mmCIF file of all heavy atoms in Angstrom:
data_model
loop_
_atom_site.group_PDB
_atom_site.id
_atom_site.type_symbol
_atom_site.label_atom_id
_atom_site.label_comp_id
_atom_site.label_asym_id
_atom_site.label_seq_id
_atom_site.Cartn_x
_atom_site.Cartn_y
_atom_site.Cartn_z
ATOM 1 N N MET A 1 175.909 77.107 94.487
ATOM 2 C CA MET A 1 175.356 78.418 94.738
ATOM 3 C C MET A 1 173.980 78.471 94.122
ATOM 4 O O MET A 1 173.816 78.138 92.987
ATOM 5 C CB MET A 1 176.304 79.464 94.045
ATOM 6 C CG MET A 1 175.859 80.901 94.267
ATOM 7 S SD MET A 1 176.949 81.950 93.333
ATOM 8 C CE MET A 1 177.680 82.930 94.523
ATOM 9 N N SER A 2 173.010 78.819 94.943
ATOM 10 C CA SER A 2 171.658 78.872 94.419
ATOM 11 C C SER A 2 171.528 79.964 93.409
ATOM 12 O O SER A 2 172.217 80.992 93.472
ATOM 13 C CB SER A 2 170.678 79.048 95.559
ATOM 14 O OG SER A 2 170.691 80.374 96.010
ATOM 15 N N ALA A 3 170.663 79.809 92.475
ATOM 16 C CA ALA A 3 170.523 80.764 91.391
ATOM 17 C C ALA A 3 170.092 82.105 91.915
ATOM 18 O O ALA A 3 170.506 83.123 91.429
ATOM 19 C CB ALA A 3 169.479 80.229 90.414
ATOM 20 N N MET A 4 169.163 82.091 92.886
ATOM 21 C CA MET A 4 168.706 83.397 93.461
ATOM 22 C C MET A 4 169.828 84.146 94.174
ATOM 23 O O MET A 4 169.945 85.358 93.984
ATOM 24 C CB MET A 4 167.568 83.121 94.414
ATOM 25 C CG MET A 4 166.926 84.396 94.901
ATOM 26 S SD MET A 4 166.230 85.305 93.546
ATOM 27 C CE MET A 4 164.618 85.493 94.050
ATOM 28 N N GLU A 5 170.583 83.462 94.963
ATOM 29 C CA GLU A 5 171.724 84.091 95.661
ATOM 30 C C GLU A 5 172.800 84.581 94.687
ATOM 31 O O GLU A 5 173.346 85.661 94.892
ATOM 32 C CB GLU A 5 172.311 83.169 96.697
ATOM 33 C CG GLU A 5 171.401 82.897 97.889
ATOM 34 C CD GLU A 5 171.112 84.168 98.671
ATOM 35 O OE1 GLU A 5 172.019 84.994 98.901
ATOM 36 O OE2 GLU A 5 169.966 84.312 99.115
ATOM 37 N N LYS A 6 173.027 83.768 93.682
ATOM 38 C CA LYS A 6 174.011 84.177 92.628
ATOM 39 C C LYS A 6 173.520 85.437 91.923
ATOM 40 O O LYS A 6 174.306 86.384 91.686
ATOM 41 C CB LYS A 6 174.142 83.036 91.643
ATOM 42 C CG LYS A 6 175.268 83.281 90.635
ATOM 43 C CD LYS A 6 175.441 82.071 89.725
ATOM 44 C CE LYS A 6 176.550 82.307 88.782
ATOM 45 N NZ LYS A 6 176.796 81.124 87.922
ATOM 46 N N ALA A 7 172.257 85.510 91.627
ATOM 47 C CA ALA A 7 171.698 86.742 90.967
ATOM 48 C C ALA A 7 171.747 87.900 91.893
ATOM 49 O O ALA A 7 172.075 89.024 91.401
ATOM 50 C CB ALA A 7 170.249 86.448 90.538
ATOM 51 N N LYS A 8 171.493 87.750 93.131
ATOM 52 C CA LYS A 8 171.570 88.878 94.105
ATOM 53 C C LYS A 8 172.983 89.393 94.192
ATOM 54 O O LYS A 8 173.194 90.611 94.223
ATOM 55 C CB LYS A 8 171.127 88.429 95.507
ATOM 56 C CG LYS A 8 169.648 88.329 95.685
ATOM 57 C CD LYS A 8 169.367 87.915 97.125
ATOM 58 C CE LYS A 8 167.920 87.678 97.333
ATOM 59 N NZ LYS A 8 167.681 87.253 98.786
ATOM 60 N N ALA A 9 173.930 88.483 94.270
ATOM 61 C CA ALA A 9 175.351 88.887 94.345
ATOM 62 C C ALA A 9 175.762 89.638 93.106
ATOM 63 O O ALA A 9 176.424 90.724 93.195
ATOM 64 C CB ALA A 9 176.229 87.674 94.567
ATOM 65 N N LYS A 10 175.423 89.187 91.939
ATOM 66 C CA LYS A 10 175.777 89.817 90.672
ATOM 67 C C LYS A 10 175.080 91.199 90.558
ATOM 68 O O LYS A 10 175.716 92.143 90.113
ATOM 69 C CB LYS A 10 175.398 88.931 89.510
ATOM 70 C CG LYS A 10 176.070 89.344 88.227
ATOM 71 C CD LYS A 10 177.568 89.257 88.336
ATOM 72 C CE LYS A 10 178.259 89.426 87.036
ATOM 73 N NZ LYS A 10 179.698 89.563 87.180
ATOM 74 N N ALA A 11 173.827 91.240 90.979
ATOM 75 C CA ALA A 11 173.081 92.516 90.910
ATOM 76 C C ALA A 11 173.712 93.570 91.814
ATOM 77 O O ALA A 11 173.880 94.741 91.433
ATOM 78 C CB ALA A 11 171.630 92.316 91.293
ATOM 79 N N GLU A 12 174.106 93.159 93.039
ATOM 80 C CA GLU A 12 174.763 94.116 93.939
ATOM 81 C C GLU A 12 176.095 94.581 93.323
ATOM 82 O O GLU A 12 176.413 95.785 93.475
ATOM 83 C CB GLU A 12 175.015 93.469 95.277
ATOM 84 C CG GLU A 12 173.827 93.415 96.177
ATOM 85 C CD GLU A 12 174.134 92.826 97.530
ATOM 86 O OE1 GLU A 12 175.211 92.242 97.776
ATOM 87 O OE2 GLU A 12 173.298 93.014 98.440
ATOM 88 N N GLN A 13 176.819 93.707 92.690
ATOM 89 C CA GLN A 13 178.104 94.140 92.106
ATOM 90 C C GLN A 13 177.841 95.130 90.990
ATOM 91 O O GLN A 13 178.513 96.153 90.926
ATOM 92 C CB GLN A 13 178.846 92.898 91.580
ATOM 93 C CG GLN A 13 179.367 92.016 92.662
ATOM 94 C CD GLN A 13 180.016 90.760 92.035
ATOM 95 O OE1 GLN A 13 180.472 90.738 90.945
ATOM 96 N NE2 GLN A 13 180.040 89.674 92.850
ATOM 97 N N MET A 14 176.894 94.837 90.160
ATOM 98 C CA MET A 14 176.633 95.718 88.987
ATOM 99 C C MET A 14 176.087 97.056 89.429
ATOM 100 O O MET A 14 176.486 98.128 88.917
ATOM 101 C CB MET A 14 175.644 95.046 88.008
ATOM 102 C CG MET A 14 176.296 93.854 87.307
ATOM 103 S SD MET A 14 175.136 92.868 86.327
ATOM 104 C CE MET A 14 174.176 94.022 85.463
ATOM 105 N N ILE A 15 175.136 97.060 90.362
ATOM 106 C CA ILE A 15 174.568 98.322 90.846
ATOM 107 C C ILE A 15 175.589 99.144 91.549
ATOM 108 O O ILE A 15 175.690 100.359 91.399
ATOM 109 C CB ILE A 15 173.310 98.024 91.784
ATOM 110 C CG1 ILE A 15 172.178 97.460 90.930
ATOM 111 C CG2 ILE A 15 172.886 99.270 92.482
ATOM 112 C CD1 ILE A 15 171.040 96.913 91.763
ATOM 113 N N GLY A 16 176.399 98.477 92.391
ATOM 114 C CA GLY A 16 177.483 99.191 93.126
ATOM 115 C C GLY A 16 178.421 99.884 92.147
ATOM 116 O O GLY A 16 178.838 101.007 92.343
ATOM 117 N N LYS A 17 178.821 99.142 91.074
ATOM 118 C CA LYS A 17 179.753 99.692 90.139
ATOM 119 C C LYS A 17 179.112 100.930 89.383
ATOM 120 O O LYS A 17 179.710 101.928 89.185
ATOM 121 C CB LYS A 17 180.196 98.679 89.132
ATOM 122 C CG LYS A 17 181.222 99.192 88.134
ATOM 123 C CD LYS A 17 181.898 98.056 87.392
ATOM 124 C CE LYS A 17 182.951 97.579 88.338
ATOM 125 N NZ LYS A 17 184.127 97.022 87.728
ATOM 126 N N ALA A 18 177.825 100.812 89.082
ATOM 127 C CA ALA A 18 177.121 101.876 88.343
ATOM 128 C C ALA A 18 176.987 103.125 89.270
ATOM 129 O O ALA A 18 177.237 104.222 88.805
ATOM 130 C CB ALA A 18 175.750 101.378 87.922
ATOM 131 N N VAL A 19 176.669 102.900 90.520
ATOM 132 C CA VAL A 19 176.577 104.050 91.473
ATOM 133 C C VAL A 19 177.899 104.685 91.635
ATOM 134 O O VAL A 19 177.996 105.883 91.676
ATOM 135 C CB VAL A 19 175.959 103.529 92.820
ATOM 136 C CG1 VAL A 19 176.134 104.565 93.903
ATOM 137 C CG2 VAL A 19 174.525 103.112 92.663
ATOM 138 N N GLN A 20 178.911 103.838 91.779
ATOM 139 C CA GLN A 20 180.234 104.376 91.989
ATOM 140 C C GLN A 20 180.721 105.199 90.816
ATOM 141 O O GLN A 20 181.194 106.342 90.997
ATOM 142 C CB GLN A 20 181.242 103.193 92.206
ATOM 143 C CG GLN A 20 182.637 103.594 92.525
ATOM 144 C CD GLN A 20 183.569 102.425 92.761
ATOM 145 O OE1 GLN A 20 183.189 101.295 92.474
ATOM 146 N NE2 GLN A 20 184.745 102.663 93.243
ATOM 147 N N LYS A 21 180.542 104.754 89.607
ATOM 148 C CA LYS A 21 180.958 105.475 88.414
ATOM 149 C C LYS A 21 180.143 106.778 88.242
ATOM 150 O O LYS A 21 180.703 107.806 87.897
ATOM 151 C CB LYS A 21 180.908 104.598 87.204
ATOM 152 C CG LYS A 21 181.974 103.547 87.189
ATOM 153 C CD LYS A 21 182.046 102.801 85.890
ATOM 154 C CE LYS A 21 183.132 101.757 85.916
ATOM 155 N NZ LYS A 21 184.442 102.264 85.673
ATOM 156 N N THR A 22 178.831 106.680 88.447
ATOM 157 C CA THR A 22 178.015 107.873 88.286
ATOM 158 C C THR A 22 178.389 108.906 89.298
ATOM 159 O O THR A 22 178.451 110.106 88.987
ATOM 160 C CB THR A 22 176.532 107.492 88.480
ATOM 161 O OG1 THR A 22 176.157 106.470 87.493
ATOM 162 C CG2 THR A 22 175.598 108.700 88.254
ATOM 163 N N ALA A 23 178.581 108.535 90.566
ATOM 164 C CA ALA A 23 178.963 109.461 91.588
ATOM 165 C C ALA A 23 180.319 110.064 91.352
ATOM 166 O O ALA A 23 180.573 111.231 91.578
ATOM 167 C CB ALA A 23 178.978 108.753 92.951
ATOM 168 N N HIS A 24 181.234 109.305 90.775
ATOM 169 C CA HIS A 24 182.564 109.809 90.418
ATOM 170 C C HIS A 24 182.460 110.911 89.378
ATOM 171 O O HIS A 24 183.097 111.950 89.505
ATOM 172 C CB HIS A 24 183.450 108.638 89.904
ATOM 173 C CG HIS A 24 184.819 109.124 89.558
ATOM 174 N ND1 HIS A 24 185.754 109.429 90.495
ATOM 175 C CD2 HIS A 24 185.373 109.302 88.320
ATOM 176 C CE1 HIS A 24 186.879 109.804 89.861
ATOM 177 N NE2 HIS A 24 186.651 109.745 88.528
ATOM 178 N N VAL A 25 181.620 110.698 88.371
ATOM 179 C CA VAL A 25 181.463 111.714 87.363
ATOM 180 C C VAL A 25 180.842 112.960 87.926
ATOM 181 O O VAL A 25 181.193 114.067 87.530
ATOM 182 C CB VAL A 25 180.536 111.158 86.214
ATOM 183 C CG1 VAL A 25 180.117 112.215 85.234
ATOM 184 C CG2 VAL A 25 181.288 110.009 85.422
ATOM 185 N N CYS A 26 179.887 112.797 88.854
ATOM 186 C CA CYS A 26 179.208 113.976 89.472
ATOM 187 C C CYS A 26 180.018 114.602 90.599
ATOM 188 O O CYS A 26 179.656 115.648 91.055
ATOM 189 C CB CYS A 26 177.821 113.532 89.986
ATOM 190 S SG CYS A 26 176.691 112.999 88.735
ATOM 191 N N GLY A 27 181.053 113.936 90.992
ATOM 192 C CA GLY A 27 181.943 114.514 92.063
ATOM 193 C C GLY A 27 181.378 114.257 93.469
ATOM 194 O O GLY A 27 181.756 115.003 94.389
ATOM 195 N N LYS A 28 180.615 113.250 93.659
ATOM 196 C CA LYS A 28 180.005 112.955 94.989
ATOM 197 C C LYS A 28 180.840 111.882 95.615
ATOM 198 O O LYS A 28 180.624 110.700 95.383
ATOM 199 C CB LYS A 28 178.531 112.501 94.803
ATOM 200 C CG LYS A 28 177.662 113.448 94.062
ATOM 201 C CD LYS A 28 177.224 114.556 94.888
ATOM 202 C CE LYS A 28 176.267 115.436 94.125
ATOM 203 N NZ LYS A 28 175.720 116.500 94.949
ATOM 204 N N LYS A 29 181.793 112.255 96.456
ATOM 205 C CA LYS A 29 182.693 111.260 97.114
ATOM 206 C C LYS A 29 181.987 110.324 98.044
ATOM 207 O O LYS A 29 182.319 109.113 98.034
ATOM 208 C CB LYS A 29 183.818 112.030 97.849
ATOM 209 C CG LYS A 29 184.754 112.762 96.918
ATOM 210 C CD LYS A 29 185.541 111.828 96.091
ATOM 211 C CE LYS A 29 186.519 112.573 95.249
ATOM 212 N NZ LYS A 29 187.230 111.706 94.338
ATOM 213 N N SER A 30 181.033 110.796 98.840
ATOM 214 C CA SER A 30 180.399 109.907 99.803
ATOM 215 C C SER A 30 179.515 108.882 99.092
ATOM 216 O O SER A 30 179.501 107.687 99.451
ATOM 217 C CB SER A 30 179.557 110.650 100.782
ATOM 218 O OG SER A 30 178.475 111.373 100.143
ATOM 219 N N THR A 31 178.828 109.268 98.020
ATOM 220 C CA THR A 31 178.002 108.333 97.262
ATOM 221 C C THR A 31 178.912 107.400 96.497
ATOM 222 O O THR A 31 178.556 106.206 96.363
ATOM 223 C CB THR A 31 177.098 109.090 96.304
ATOM 224 O OG1 THR A 31 176.339 110.054 97.009
ATOM 225 C CG2 THR A 31 176.131 108.167 95.592
ATOM 226 N N GLU A 32 180.042 107.831 96.038
ATOM 227 C CA GLU A 32 180.986 106.948 95.364
ATOM 228 C C GLU A 32 181.468 105.814 96.306
ATOM 229 O O GLU A 32 181.522 104.691 95.936
ATOM 230 C CB GLU A 32 182.198 107.765 94.881
ATOM 231 C CG GLU A 32 183.166 106.988 94.060
ATOM 232 C CD GLU A 32 184.325 107.863 93.524
ATOM 233 O OE1 GLU A 32 184.292 109.108 93.664
ATOM 234 O OE2 GLU A 32 185.250 107.283 93.007
ATOM 235 N N ALA A 33 181.708 106.207 97.542
ATOM 236 C CA ALA A 33 182.141 105.243 98.539
ATOM 237 C C ALA A 33 181.011 104.248 98.838
ATOM 238 O O ALA A 33 181.292 103.063 99.031
ATOM 239 C CB ALA A 33 182.572 105.945 99.854
ATOM 240 N N LYS A 34 179.767 104.733 98.893
ATOM 241 C CA LYS A 34 178.667 103.784 99.097
ATOM 242 C C LYS A 34 178.491 102.806 97.981
ATOM 243 O O LYS A 34 178.203 101.650 98.181
ATOM 244 C CB LYS A 34 177.374 104.621 99.301
ATOM 245 C CG LYS A 34 177.307 105.354 100.622
ATOM 246 C CD LYS A 34 176.010 106.203 100.700
ATOM 247 C CE LYS A 34 176.021 107.018 101.920
ATOM 248 N NZ LYS A 34 174.870 107.916 101.996
ATOM 249 N N GLY A 35 178.698 103.286 96.739
ATOM 250 C CA GLY A 35 178.670 102.377 95.597
ATOM 251 C C GLY A 35 179.775 101.317 95.681
ATOM 252 O O GLY A 35 179.552 100.141 95.367
ATOM 253 N N ALA A 36 180.943 101.745 96.052
ATOM 254 C CA ALA A 36 182.094 100.815 96.194
ATOM 255 C C ALA A 36 181.743 99.775 97.255
ATOM 256 O O ALA A 36 182.026 98.588 97.106
ATOM 257 C CB ALA A 36 183.346 101.551 96.529
ATOM 258 N N ALA A 37 181.154 100.194 98.390
ATOM 259 C CA ALA A 37 180.793 99.291 99.493
ATOM 260 C C ALA A 37 179.712 98.288 98.990
ATOM 261 O O ALA A 37 179.765 97.119 99.356
ATOM 262 C CB ALA A 37 180.295 100.097 100.665
ATOM 263 N N LEU A 38 178.792 98.764 98.219
ATOM 264 C CA LEU A 38 177.751 97.859 97.745
ATOM 265 C C LEU A 38 178.360 96.780 96.797
ATOM 266 O O LEU A 38 178.015 95.617 96.875
ATOM 267 C CB LEU A 38 176.676 98.658 96.989
ATOM 268 C CG LEU A 38 175.450 97.895 96.485
ATOM 269 C CD1 LEU A 38 174.714 97.222 97.626
ATOM 270 C CD2 LEU A 38 174.541 98.800 95.700
ATOM 271 N N GLY A 39 179.286 97.228 95.966
ATOM 272 C CA GLY A 39 179.980 96.282 95.091
ATOM 273 C C GLY A 39 180.791 95.214 95.863
ATOM 274 O O GLY A 39 180.756 94.038 95.543
ATOM 275 N N LEU A 40 181.440 95.668 96.910
ATOM 276 C CA LEU A 40 182.205 94.746 97.729
ATOM 277 C C LEU A 40 181.257 93.828 98.493
ATOM 278 O O LEU A 40 181.600 92.636 98.651
ATOM 279 C CB LEU A 40 183.061 95.509 98.732
ATOM 280 C CG LEU A 40 184.266 96.220 98.153
ATOM 281 C CD1 LEU A 40 184.973 97.057 99.217
ATOM 282 C CD2 LEU A 40 185.209 95.259 97.517
ATOM 283 N N ARG A 41 180.089 94.304 98.855
ATOM 284 C CA ARG A 41 179.130 93.393 99.575
ATOM 285 C C ARG A 41 178.680 92.290 98.630
ATOM 286 O O ARG A 41 178.550 91.163 99.003
ATOM 287 C CB ARG A 41 178.000 94.201 100.087
ATOM 288 C CG ARG A 41 177.028 93.394 100.900
ATOM 289 C CD ARG A 41 176.021 94.212 101.592
ATOM 290 N NE ARG A 41 174.996 94.674 100.639
ATOM 291 C CZ ARG A 41 174.040 95.536 100.900
ATOM 292 N NH1 ARG A 41 173.928 96.066 102.115
ATOM 293 N NH2 ARG A 41 173.190 95.842 99.994
ATOM 294 N N GLY A 42 178.498 92.652 97.332
ATOM 295 C CA GLY A 42 178.121 91.675 96.330
ATOM 296 C C GLY A 42 179.215 90.618 96.146
ATOM 297 O O GLY A 42 178.907 89.419 96.016
ATOM 298 N N LYS A 43 180.437 91.065 96.098
ATOM 299 C CA LYS A 43 181.551 90.143 95.932
ATOM 300 C C LYS A 43 181.647 89.212 97.160
ATOM 301 O O LYS A 43 181.904 87.999 96.996
ATOM 302 C CB LYS A 43 182.865 90.888 95.772
ATOM 303 C CG LYS A 43 182.981 91.539 94.440
ATOM 304 C CD LYS A 43 184.342 92.254 94.285
ATOM 305 C CE LYS A 43 184.456 92.930 92.939
ATOM 306 N NZ LYS A 43 185.745 93.624 92.816
ATOM 307 N N ALA A 44 181.476 89.762 98.350
ATOM 308 C CA ALA A 44 181.513 88.962 99.556
ATOM 309 C C ALA A 44 180.392 87.910 99.583
ATOM 310 O O ALA A 44 180.565 86.765 99.967
ATOM 311 C CB ALA A 44 181.443 89.845 100.800
ATOM 312 N N ARG A 45 179.225 88.320 99.124
ATOM 313 C CA ARG A 45 178.042 87.383 99.072
ATOM 314 C C ARG A 45 178.376 86.255 98.134
ATOM 315 O O ARG A 45 178.108 85.085 98.391
ATOM 316 C CB ARG A 45 176.790 88.154 98.612
ATOM 317 C CG ARG A 45 175.589 87.247 98.549
ATOM 318 C CD ARG A 45 174.401 87.964 97.927
ATOM 319 N NE ARG A 45 174.013 89.188 98.571
ATOM 320 C CZ ARG A 45 172.980 89.308 99.434
ATOM 321 N NH1 ARG A 45 172.210 88.214 99.665
ATOM 322 N NH2 ARG A 45 172.674 90.430 99.966
ATOM 323 N N ALA A 46 178.972 86.558 96.975
ATOM 324 C CA ALA A 46 179.358 85.514 96.022
ATOM 325 C C ALA A 46 180.337 84.533 96.588
ATOM 326 O O ALA A 46 180.253 83.346 96.444
ATOM 327 C CB ALA A 46 179.848 86.140 94.727
ATOM 328 N N ARG A 47 181.357 85.082 97.282
ATOM 329 C CA ARG A 47 182.381 84.230 97.880
ATOM 330 C C ARG A 47 181.790 83.316 98.961
ATOM 331 O O ARG A 47 182.135 82.169 99.080
ATOM 332 C CB ARG A 47 183.492 85.045 98.468
ATOM 333 C CG ARG A 47 184.408 85.666 97.435
ATOM 334 C CD ARG A 47 185.601 86.371 98.049
ATOM 335 N NE ARG A 47 186.311 87.082 97.006
ATOM 336 C CZ ARG A 47 186.627 88.363 97.035
ATOM 337 N NH1 ARG A 47 186.227 89.115 98.037
ATOM 338 N NH2 ARG A 47 187.259 88.911 96.043
ATOM 339 N N LYS A 48 180.883 83.895 99.777
ATOM 340 C CA LYS A 48 180.250 83.113 100.840
ATOM 341 C C LYS A 48 179.451 81.931 100.222
ATOM 342 O O LYS A 48 179.577 80.831 100.740
ATOM 343 C CB LYS A 48 179.267 84.008 101.585
ATOM 344 C CG LYS A 48 178.506 83.282 102.733
ATOM 345 C CD LYS A 48 177.365 84.121 103.214
ATOM 346 C CE LYS A 48 176.249 83.934 102.249
ATOM 347 N NZ LYS A 48 174.929 84.357 102.635
ATOM 348 N N GLU A 49 178.766 82.187 99.184
ATOM 349 C CA GLU A 49 177.984 81.120 98.566
ATOM 350 C C GLU A 49 178.901 80.039 97.943
ATOM 351 O O GLU A 49 178.590 78.843 97.951
ATOM 352 C CB GLU A 49 177.063 81.684 97.490
ATOM 353 C CG GLU A 49 175.892 82.462 98.057
ATOM 354 C CD GLU A 49 175.025 81.648 98.959
ATOM 355 O OE1 GLU A 49 174.700 80.481 98.647
ATOM 356 O OE2 GLU A 49 174.646 82.142 100.025
ATOM 357 N N LYS A 50 180.002 80.449 97.366
ATOM 358 C CA LYS A 50 180.986 79.459 96.824
ATOM 359 C C LYS A 50 181.509 78.580 97.917
ATOM 360 O O LYS A 50 181.648 77.347 97.722
ATOM 361 C CB LYS A 50 182.099 80.189 96.034
ATOM 362 C CG LYS A 50 181.648 80.711 94.709
ATOM 363 C CD LYS A 50 182.778 81.357 93.978
ATOM 364 C CE LYS A 50 182.323 81.959 92.667
ATOM 365 N NZ LYS A 50 183.377 82.609 91.931
ATOM 366 N N VAL A 51 181.817 79.177 99.038
ATOM 367 C CA VAL A 51 182.377 78.406 100.170
ATOM 368 C C VAL A 51 181.309 77.447 100.674
ATOM 369 O O VAL A 51 181.576 76.286 100.959
ATOM 370 C CB VAL A 51 182.892 79.309 101.282
ATOM 371 C CG1 VAL A 51 183.145 78.543 102.557
ATOM 372 C CG2 VAL A 51 184.147 80.040 100.855
ATOM 373 N N LYS A 52 180.095 77.947 100.777
ATOM 374 C CA LYS A 52 179.018 77.111 101.255
ATOM 375 C C LYS A 52 178.754 75.942 100.318
ATOM 376 O O LYS A 52 178.544 74.847 100.802
ATOM 377 C CB LYS A 52 177.714 78.015 101.334
ATOM 378 C CG LYS A 52 176.634 77.379 102.165
ATOM 379 C CD LYS A 52 175.572 78.451 102.499
ATOM 380 C CE LYS A 52 174.592 78.635 101.424
ATOM 381 N NZ LYS A 52 173.474 79.507 101.799
ATOM 382 N N ASP A 53 178.846 76.179 99.053
ATOM 383 C CA ASP A 53 178.660 75.106 98.060
ATOM 384 C C ASP A 53 179.798 74.035 98.179
ATOM 385 O O ASP A 53 179.598 72.872 98.006
ATOM 386 C CB ASP A 53 178.660 75.618 96.648
ATOM 387 C CG ASP A 53 177.313 76.250 96.283
ATOM 388 O OD1 ASP A 53 176.363 76.064 97.027
ATOM 389 O OD2 ASP A 53 177.224 76.919 95.210
ATOM 390 N N ALA A 54 181.018 74.548 98.451
ATOM 391 C CA ALA A 54 182.158 73.627 98.559
ATOM 392 C C ALA A 54 181.956 72.655 99.739
ATOM 393 O O ALA A 54 182.361 71.515 99.634
ATOM 394 C CB ALA A 54 183.458 74.437 98.748
ATOM 395 N N PHE A 55 181.386 73.136 100.810
ATOM 396 C CA PHE A 55 181.151 72.279 101.973
ATOM 397 C C PHE A 55 179.932 71.389 101.820
ATOM 398 O O PHE A 55 179.880 70.351 102.518
ATOM 399 C CB PHE A 55 181.037 73.105 103.290
ATOM 400 C CG PHE A 55 182.381 73.588 103.742
ATOM 401 C CD1 PHE A 55 182.711 74.922 103.609
ATOM 402 C CD2 PHE A 55 183.315 72.726 104.291
ATOM 403 C CE1 PHE A 55 183.969 75.375 104.051
ATOM 404 C CE2 PHE A 55 184.520 73.164 104.733
ATOM 405 C CZ PHE A 55 184.882 74.505 104.619
ATOM 406 N N GLU A 56 179.041 71.750 100.970
ATOM 407 C CA GLU A 56 177.860 70.871 100.809
ATOM 408 C C GLU A 56 178.183 69.629 99.987
ATOM 409 O O GLU A 56 177.506 68.631 100.117
ATOM 410 C CB GLU A 56 176.746 71.683 100.057
ATOM 411 C CG GLU A 56 176.092 72.696 100.935
ATOM 412 C CD GLU A 56 175.064 73.501 100.236
ATOM 413 O OE1 GLU A 56 174.840 73.292 98.992
ATOM 414 O OE2 GLU A 56 174.423 74.351 100.872
ATOM 415 N N HIS A 57 179.206 69.657 99.131
ATOM 416 C CA HIS A 57 179.505 68.557 98.267
ATOM 417 C C HIS A 57 180.422 67.660 98.953
ATOM 418 O O HIS A 57 180.973 67.136 99.562
ATOM 419 C CB HIS A 57 180.126 69.024 96.931
ATOM 420 C CG HIS A 57 179.197 69.798 96.149
ATOM 421 N ND1 HIS A 57 178.202 69.227 95.384
ATOM 422 C CD2 HIS A 57 178.988 71.132 95.979
ATOM 423 C CE1 HIS A 57 177.513 70.119 94.737
ATOM 424 N NE2 HIS A 57 177.940 71.309 95.150
#
């Protein structure tokens, strides 16, 4: 996994979790869902890179 892609994936996960928790506290359901989606996108990006690395070796 390239360092840049790994950093992007981790950043998306962290930002998504922060948005989700902040929106939950404020009672904003739609924004909470967007934060959850961003976190899941980060997880998917990380999994994609791991699979890509497995096939490169």
Side-chain angles (χ1 to χ4, degrees):
M1 183 186 240
S2 74
M4 186 61 126
E5 290 297 319
K6 186 175 182 180
K8 282 182 185 179
K10 195 63 170 171
E12 281 184 345
Q13 290 175 24
M14 290 171 46
I15 292 169
K17 184 165 278 212
V19 168
Q20 184 180 11
K21 289 188 180 277
T22 303
H24 179 74
V25 169
C26 295
K28 307 280 185 176
K29 293 291 183 186
S30 62
T31 306
E32 186 178 351
K34 288 177 185 176
L38 184 61
L40 288 174
R41 187 171 73 185
K43 287 181 182 180
R45 182 187 301 259
R47 286 187 187 125
K48 178 194 80 166
E49 289 300 317
K50 285 182 182 179
V51 168
K52 197 164 83 174
D53 282 348
F55 283 107
E56 287 178 359
H57 295 279

